[in-house]
Amino acid sequence: MYRDSVLIYNLNPSPSSLNPSPLVTRPFFSSSVPNRRRSENQRPPLSSSISHKPRLSLKRKEGGMAFSAAASANANPNKSVEVLPAPSDSVSSLSFSPTANHLIATSWDNQVRCWDIQAGGSFQPKASISHDQPVLCSAWKEDGTTVFSGGCDKQVKMWPLLSGGQATTVAVHDAPVKHVAWVPQMSLLVSASWDKTLRYWDLRQQQPVHVQQLPERVYALTVSYPLMVVGTADRQLVVFDLKKPDTEFKRIQSPLKYQTRCLAAFPDQQGFLVGSIEGRVGVHHLDDAQQSKNFTFKCHREGTGASEIYSVNALNFHPVHHTFATSGSDGSFHFWDKDSKQRLKAFARCPYPIPCSAFNLDGSIFAYASCYDWSKGAENHNPATAKTYIYLHSVQESEIKGKPRVSTGRK
């Protein structure tokens, strides 16, 4: 059994941290964001702050308090539509069909499920398939007929969903598959794994067209042809021009000082967003002439002085307005505008982390999961009381459309 290895990043969870954050619009960027934290290779020894064993003991105690409070909190504070039946274990990915309101969810109970989301927020369970081990990722073919899913069984399955066909294995790795993407312009499947490789597959043959070695295990991947960016475990961001898929275009050290958690390519392919476990997002442009436009901002933090820091788990661009959403382990999601550098809308915190999220094809629906994200390990997971939810938020134009930044009068 595998769990995605992440640092334990919420050092002071408490019942009070479960209160909803203020629903306000505010600027999130300053030209000089102070970084008071040391880089990874400059951290003090654990013994100077919290040693290993006391830290684990503390986490068990405090984690129990937090999840006890979560159990009694309002599970749906944003009054979203709940999708049923819910998976029996945590959700690892959500993805909408590019042609219809069909929602795919992969989960740690080895299942890939599909729902047909209908007008008015109603839904109908459509079909499901199983893997032999937990499923970590999913992607659709561009015509909306076929779903790809990969996971801890080290393989990618192709599921001809609309035709009712059986799922077949189309790709294999030497370790769990963390991400998959279908590239219609190339008619190739891309799979990325913890075996430190990126593999391109022609579905008509059993062997990969090309195996690209990577510096470390893959933690994040985003594709917006011809741009592809891969985030690895050593904070390297490997950029590819898919017109030359077997050659690295550029390798960048992440602008964030802690582990990469998620990526999202700009809709215009001129750059990308990167999110980390340290409650921070980086906005990065590829053109050297545009480097002055790069910046980072803090998010998904709570408590006095934002002392409670949570992972940014998902980044999703809106398909129409090209603003974006962040979802985090604090149980909240927010809508942002990178061009005017402000938060457009903050939503109430759910009592459980949000590990993944997705917009539908026209951006009118925002799907998000609320469940345990395993950041506190197995010792803080109680299968008897654990809850898993999938919600649908009806997106209003007023909360997602970009707007000019309002001047505060400060210089």
Side-chain angles (χ1 to χ4, degrees):
M1 179 67 69
Y2 296 87
R3 291 288 179 190
D4 191 0
S5 57
V6 298
L7 300 178
I8 297 177
Y9 37 80
N10 177 15
L11 301 182
N12 296 293
S14 65
S16 62
S17 70
L18 298 169
N19 294 330
S21 57
L23 306 185
V24 296
T25 298
R26 66 183 187 191
F28 62 86
F29 168 77
S30 64
S31 58
S32 58
V33 180
N35 185 359
R36 296 187 296 272
R37 305 189 65 158
R38 297 177 174 88
S39 64
E40 288 182 308
N41 59 1
Q42 294 177 316
R43 290 180 189 164
L46 285 175
S47 59
S48 68
S49 53
I50 305 175
S51 63
H52 269 298
K53 288 184 180 180
R55 180 178 185 176
L56 289 174
S57 174
L58 180 65
K59 293 301 291 182
R60 277 196 292 269
K61 179 179 179 182
E62 294 189 351
M65 292 170 62
F67 286 111
S68 174
S72 60
N74 179 6
N76 187 9
N78 295 296
K79 300 180 180 179
S80 302
V81 174
E82 182 181 355
V83 177
L84 298 171
S88 60
D89 203 344
S90 299
V91 178
S92 54
S93 79
L94 292 169
S95 56
F96 273 103
S97 164
T99 62
N101 282 331
H102 296 153
L103 175 65
I104 287 288
T106 62
S107 51
W108 286 90
D109 60 5
N110 307 0
Q111 298 292 305
V112 183
R113 296 174 173 86
C114 180
W115 292 266
D116 181 9
I117 310 302
Q118 301 165 351
S122 60
F123 54 87
Q124 182 68 39
K126 193 171 182 64
S128 66
I129 61 168
S130 299
H131 280 241
D132 293 332
Q133 293 189 36
V135 193
L136 302 179
C137 54
S138 57
W140 286 85
K141 234 180 175 181
E142 81 279 8
D143 59 4
T145 63
T146 305
V147 175
F148 301 97
S149 55
C152 294
D153 53 9
K154 308 176 187 178
Q155 59 184 259
V156 178
K157 290 190 175 185
M158 181 176 69
W159 180 21
L161 173 65
L162 293 192
S163 67
Q166 297 295 311
T168 57
T169 298
V170 293
V172 292
H173 277 265
D174 299 322
V177 179
K178 186 63 173 69
H179 286 281
V180 291
W182 173 254
V183 186
Q185 296 86 347
M186 305 166 64
S187 295
L188 292 179
L189 176 71
V190 178
S191 58
S193 169
W194 292 341
D195 66 6
K196 305 180 185 180
T197 69
L198 187 74
R199 304 188 183 192
Y200 300 89
W201 304 86
D202 184 331
L203 301 181
R204 298 169 296 183
Q205 59 189 60
Q206 293 185 343
Q207 297 301 316
V209 174
H210 175 69
V211 177
Q212 182 74 31
Q213 295 295 323
L214 296 168
E216 249 292 355
R217 292 157 292 164
V218 174
Y219 280 177
L221 179 143
T222 183
V223 177
S224 180
Y225 187 86
L227 173 63
M228 179 171 70
V229 186
V230 183
T232 66
D234 60 357
R235 295 174 46 247
Q236 293 288 331
L237 302 175
V238 187
V239 181
F240 292 88
D241 178 352
L242 288 176
K243 295 176 181 177
K244 299 178 180 179
D246 59 350
T247 305
E248 289 185 16
F249 174 74
K250 184 183 291 188
R251 188 178 294 192
I252 303 167
Q253 187 79 12
S254 172
L256 309 180
K257 295 186 178 296
Y258 291 86
Q259 180 182 295
T260 300
R261 187 69 171 156
C262 50
L263 290 162
F266 292 176
D268 62 5
Q269 300 89 43
Q270 298 303 303
F272 57 87
L273 306 174
V274 54
S276 78
I277 62 167
E278 193 220 356
R280 194 184 291 265
V281 170
V283 178
H284 189 88
H285 296 76
L286 292 172
D287 187 346
D288 290 340
Q290 301 293 316
Q291 296 305 296
S292 62
K293 295 183 178 180
N294 296 345
F295 62 94
T296 68
F297 66 93
K298 299 175 184 178
C299 53
H300 300 282
R301 300 181 177 208
E302 297 295 333
T304 303
S307 58
E308 297 172 17
I309 300 172
Y310 298 85
S311 173
V312 181
N313 294 327
L315 294 160
N316 311 107
F317 273 101
H318 190 270
V320 176
H321 298 297
H322 298 170
T323 51
F324 67 95
T326 62
S327 301
S329 286
D330 59 340
S332 71
F333 61 96
H334 308 275
F335 294 161
W336 310 83
D337 182 354
K338 69 177 178 62
D339 297 324
S340 64
K341 300 175 181 176
Q342 65 181 321
R343 184 168 65 182
L344 300 173
K345 179 73 172 180
F347 293 86
R349 296 178 66 191
C350 298
Y352 297 98
I354 300 178
C356 52
S357 52
F359 285 106
N360 70 335
L361 74 163
D362 64 3
S364 62
I365 300 171
F366 181 72
Y368 60 101
S370 176
C371 51
Y372 185 47
D373 64 353
W374 295 92
S375 59
K376 295 182 175 65
E379 67 271 18
N380 278 284
H381 177 63
N382 184 348
T385 59
K387 301 291 185 181
T388 297
Y389 303 95
I390 297 175
Y391 293 122
L392 303 175
H393 170 71
S394 178
V395 179
Q396 306 301 309
E397 185 172 285
S398 60
E399 62 193 22
I400 195 62
K401 186 176 181 180
K403 59 188 71 172
R405 182 176 180 180
V406 178
S407 175
T408 61
R410 297 179 181 175
K411 295 183 180 180

